[in-house]
Amino acid sequence: MSGDMPWPQVPMGNKNHTNTAVVIIGAGISGMCTAIDLIKRNNCRNFVILEKSAGLGGTWRDNKYPGCCCDVWSTLYSYSFAQNSDWTREYPGQEEILAYLVGVAQEYKLYQHIRFDTSVEEARWDDDLHKWVTKVTTAKGSKEAEFNPEYEIKSDFLVSAVGQLNQPQWPTIPGVEEFTGKKMHSARWDWSYDLTDKKIALIGNGCTAVQILPEIAKVAKEVAVFQRTPNWVVPRLDAPVSPLMRNVYRYLPPIRWRKRAGAMDFREATYDAIVDSKSDTAKLFKDMAIEMMHTQLPDQPDMWEKLTPTYNIGCKRIIISDDYYPAINMPNVVLETRPIHSISGNAIKVAGAHGEPEGEEADYDLLVCATGFKTVDFMHPIKIIGRNGRPLSEVWKKGAHAYLGTCIEDMPNFGMLYGPNTNLGHNSIILMIESQSRYINGLIKPVLEARRQGKALSLRPRHDKTEAYNEKVQEALKSSSFNDPNCNSWYKNEAGLITNNWSGTVVEYQQLMAEVKYSDYEAEGSGKAIVQEKPSYKVGRVVEESQVSDKTLLALGVLSTAAVVGGFLMRNSRYLSGMRLR
Ligand code: NA7
């Protein structure tokens, strides 16, 4: 396998099973993007992707509950360099997204780099070697585990691509662990369980629960939805994409680009609605939400009261759905807004105004916990130990933070994707991930060069730069809707610090990430002259917003139609001339 390619083009072979240039943790959208950029931008195939699951796709493999789909338009939900013309709906479903990711992995020959069923337990920076030492275990019951249950891999660079929505959060309700019926977390769905005619308790009413309810209510005998806090729900306006339009997007790329740029423009324009409760767009979204609720639940003021939030729109993730309220209105669905007191056996007891058990307890066959993820415990449960043996938990004792949401002080040669303060409430996360992947690859470049020269180089973000950056982000977030004290959300940690969301638009972030300034980093090792001689490196940004007028795109559309038709005629000229002869 090692072949005769020079390093770092040579992929890891058997002999280098435990020694590589780059370790990437996670084979989801972020890990795949970083790997593709390593190949394209650094001409590097000397890397390994460690994946805990038995397949790739990350969150799109984990989350396969009924109705699972993305709340970002399909037109924006693909890599900019691998745009998908084949989405069958305006909002893509989980199975289609997973199939798309598998296709991309095949196209870039990523499978040869992925070690499935391989879980990272710990990664420790070795100050003497200038390398990360990553400890992995292989899944119990796998063939690998029979002879190689755990081992270590040394690498020059470490990338965390484990995402923010990775570890399921189970509710802390007394008795939930002992529930005697069937119990599932939304991110661990058991499709072998038949829902037909079952009595189902659905805990939660976030984005996930809202997608699950309409599907399970179709077949269940009864569904009780346990809502703790109401959410703002706006229309989704989903629709199929016809085969004709899919062909148009495939063969006339300018039309696809126009659609994508339009979606980007619209999504960026909704930024105000999310962060500024006094903005016109926030008011527009609120009005839309209320109008839809009143239309879909006509003449039900009691329900309107239960379902209308008292906090700013955007404070929690805005839910996009056309079918949640109609599902709530079904005769076999009950909305329960009293808190859950406890669970015993397969029964749920609710609580009255003072926390005391109230009313009859009800029995359920199935308990669905659509209760989200451990979002503020970034990289949980992996132990990361940096320079001078400093654990990440100590760096983050006041809350997760990173330089540009990507690099962490005292963690040399380390980058993370979808890290602290990089989540969005208004646009596609893939846009942020691509920026981070480019940036991280800009950091990896001199590290690879140093090793190629037989030297070592470590880069870690400067403390003052990290502090100044995060102060600025937190200052901007203070006045945003995310900070509304009237709501709790997965964007904040227990102390109320917003650790998950970015404070600006996507374009602002992309601009910030378009250049790697090595002077923002402490450089150490025999190869440090490499970055001293070239203090910065432009990685650029993917420009997704509209740049050209509709007229120009129309002209491009006409040209590409001519090119397609011309190509067709040339390819078939013999056949066509044969036709003429006959
Ligand atoms: P979320 O958005 O974290 O929602 C979790 C839901 O579970 C939310 O409605 C919570 O109520 C509810 N919850 C959590 N614990 C309890 C208890 N103990 N009792 C009742 N209800 C509870 O997770 P999702 O999976 O829906 O979405 C996560 C992201 O995935 C989403 O934003 C998209 O980006 C994709 P609360 O509102 O906290 O009162």
Side-chain angles (χ1 to χ4, degrees):
M1 173 73 174
S2 302
D4 54 3
M5 301 293 281
W7 190 91
Q9 281 131 279
V10 59
M12 286 176 78
N14 293 337
K15 285 180 188 157
N16 293 317
H17 192 66
T18 58
N19 201 324
T20 186
V22 183
V23 161
I24 299 171
I25 313 173
I29 289 183
S30 303
M32 284 174 55
C33 189
T34 311
I36 293 167
D37 275 338
L38 267 172
I39 298 163
K40 290 199 307 195
R41 296 174 172 272
N42 277 318
N43 201 9
C44 171
R45 277 205 173 262
N46 200 270
F47 65 87
V48 64
I49 305 178
L50 304 173
E51 172 53 55
K52 189 175 180 174
S53 308
L56 61 75
T59 199
W60 294 111
R61 186 175 185 278
D62 290 350
N63 287 277
K64 42 177 176 263
Y65 55 78
C68 181
C69 63
C70 186
D71 56 8
V72 170
W73 280 312
S74 53
T75 192
L76 262 183
Y77 210 78
S78 53
Y79 297 117
S80 62
F81 53 82
Q83 292 182 23
N84 187 9
S85 314
D86 296 331
W87 298 118
T88 61
R89 300 199 66 84
E90 293 297 347
Y91 286 88
Q94 173 262 334
E95 284 169 293
E96 269 192 61
I97 299 174
L98 187 57
Y100 161 75
L101 292 173
V102 167
V104 173
Q106 283 164 340
E107 190 185 335
Y108 285 91
K109 298 189 173 71
L110 296 186
Y111 275 91
Q112 60 177 308
H113 296 277
I114 310 176
R115 288 189 200 159
F116 292 111
D117 285 329
T118 302
S119 170
V120 174
E121 305 296 319
E122 179 191 293
R124 179 184 291 273
W125 174 255
D126 186 311
D127 292 306
D128 300 326
L129 293 175
H130 285 275
K131 282 183 195 286
W132 284 96
V133 180
T134 301
K135 204 184 264 181
V136 303
T137 54
T138 47
K140 259 194 193 146
S142 66
K143 265 190 188 174
E144 195 84 7
E146 287 173 25
F147 58 93
N148 206 7
E150 54 180 60
Y151 60 98
E152 290 180 347
I153 307 173
K154 291 191 180 71
S155 67
D156 302 286
F157 209 99
L158 177 68
V159 178
S160 166
V162 299
Q164 292 186 9
L165 308 171
N166 184 347
Q167 296 289 321
Q169 176 77 60
W170 289 89
T172 49
I173 298 169
V176 69
E177 280 167 24
E178 286 79 44
F179 182 73
T180 52
K182 174 79 178 173
K183 184 174 66 185
M184 296 185 209
H185 189 279
S186 51
R188 300 287 183 269
W189 198 266
D190 176 2
W191 275 95
S192 67
Y193 184 82
D194 185 3
L195 303 169
T196 315
D197 289 331
K198 296 292 188 327
K199 282 183 75 179
I200 304 175
L202 174 60
I203 303 185
N205 59 314
C207 297
T208 300
V210 163
Q211 293 183 353
I212 292 176
L213 179 69
E215 293 305 310
I216 62 175
K218 284 178 196 160
V219 292
K221 183 175 180 187
E222 190 184 311
V223 185
V225 179
F226 290 87
Q227 168 189 295
R228 199 163 59 175
T229 319
N231 279 309
W232 290 104
V233 184
V234 298
R236 182 180 175 83
L237 308 176
D238 191 15
V241 180
S242 68
L244 172 69
M245 285 316 290
R246 281 180 248 157
N247 275 319
V248 167
Y249 298 139
R250 169 177 293 271
Y251 294 111
L252 302 174
I255 294 182
R256 188 183 70 233
W257 300 335
R258 174 76 268 175
K259 191 180 181 207
R260 189 166 162 117
M264 173 74 175
D265 294 347
F266 179 83
R267 282 288 188 157
E268 285 289 83
T270 62
Y271 170 71
D272 276 355
I274 308 292
V275 297
D276 179 3
S277 59
K278 295 188 182 69
S279 64
D280 290 344
T281 30
K283 185 172 178 325
L284 185 79
F285 271 58
K286 263 181 161 177
D287 291 348
M288 267 191 326
I290 288 169
E291 196 188 323
M292 180 171 74
M293 182 170 61
H294 289 187
T295 312
Q296 293 187 334
L297 298 169
D299 305 321
Q300 298 185 56
D302 290 358
M303 290 292 269
W304 299 345
E305 200 184 331
K306 286 180 179 175
L307 290 165
T308 306
T310 51
Y311 54 83
N312 289 335
I313 196 159
C315 179
K316 285 161 113 61
R317 192 170 174 91
I318 296 177
I319 294 178
I320 303 178
S321 173
D322 299 328
D323 51 5
Y324 181 59
Y325 293 141
I328 284 278
N329 216 14
M330 285 169 71
N332 60 336
V333 175
V334 177
L335 177 66
E336 178 57 80
T337 54
R338 287 172 296 177
I340 298 173
H341 174 273
S342 57
I343 295 177
S344 64
N346 67 341
I348 298 185
K349 234 178 259 172
V350 291
H354 305 292
E356 74 293 355
E358 187 177 87
E360 293 280 295
E361 59 182 28
D363 290 351
Y364 296 96
D365 301 304
L366 170 66
L367 176 64
V368 175
C369 296
T371 45
F373 300 87
K374 293 185 200 297
T375 54
V376 294
D377 303 335
F378 292 84
M379 286 189 281
H380 175 89
I382 303 170
K383 248 194 249 159
I384 308 274
I385 299 134
R387 186 175 154 265
N388 293 332
R390 190 173 183 208
L392 179 62
S393 53
E394 194 200 299
V395 182
W396 282 357
K397 61 176 182 277
K398 288 192 192 145
H401 61 282
Y403 181 52
L404 305 173
T406 307
C407 296
I408 304 169
E409 58 181 288
D410 277 336
M411 302 294 145
N413 294 3
F414 175 82
M416 68 190 296
L417 294 102
Y418 199 9
N421 294 109
T422 64
N423 180 56
L424 299 174
H426 74 287
N427 210 337
S428 166
I429 196 65
I430 296 182
L431 309 165
M432 302 291 274
I433 288 168
E434 284 194 29
S435 262
Q436 290 153 4
S437 171
R438 279 176 176 233
Y439 186 93
I440 290 170
N441 268 279
L443 282 176
I444 292 174
K445 191 174 274 301
V447 174
L448 292 180
E449 177 55 22
R451 177 157 163 193
R452 207 184 56 76
Q453 294 178 11
K455 296 173 180 164
L457 170 65
S458 76
L459 297 168
R460 61 194 150 88
R462 280 170 39 189
H463 176 76
D464 58 336
K465 290 280 172 190
T466 308
E467 291 277 289
Y469 170 79
N470 280 288
E471 269 167 30
K472 215 168 154 187
V473 169
Q474 288 301 332
E475 192 53 40
L477 286 170
K478 259 189 208 158
S479 56
S480 73
S481 300
F482 306 136
N483 201 31
D484 182 344
N486 298 315
C487 92
N488 289 321
S489 77
W490 61 263
Y491 305 154
K492 300 174 192 169
N493 68 10
E494 272 183 7
L497 184 78
I498 301 166
T499 53
N500 290 63
N501 279 16
W502 164 235
S503 56
T505 63
V506 167
V507 172
E508 283 166 350
Y509 186 74
Q510 288 176 327
Q511 285 166 342
L512 208 60
M513 301 292 278
E515 185 174 17
V516 183
K517 294 182 185 130
Y518 298 120
S519 52
D520 293 350
Y521 290 79
E522 306 281 1
E524 278 177 12
S526 51
K528 70 180 183 188
I530 295 170
V531 289
Q532 286 163 343
E533 282 157 16
K534 188 177 182 346
S536 71
Y537 177 65
K538 279 201 169 61
V539 292
R541 75 178 184 99
V542 184
V543 178
E544 297 271 15
E545 68 275 19
S546 296
Q547 294 295 303
V548 287
S549 67
D550 285 343
K551 263 191 192 161
T552 315
L553 274 162
L554 185 68
L556 283 170
V558 170
L559 279 176
S560 62
T561 312
V564 170
V565 173
F568 174 82
L569 290 176
M570 275 173 68
R571 265 203 316 276
N572 296 288
S573 57
R574 278 175 63 192
Y575 172 69
L576 292 172
S577 61
M579 278 200 344
R580 273 198 299 274
L581 284 176
R582 274 200 297 271

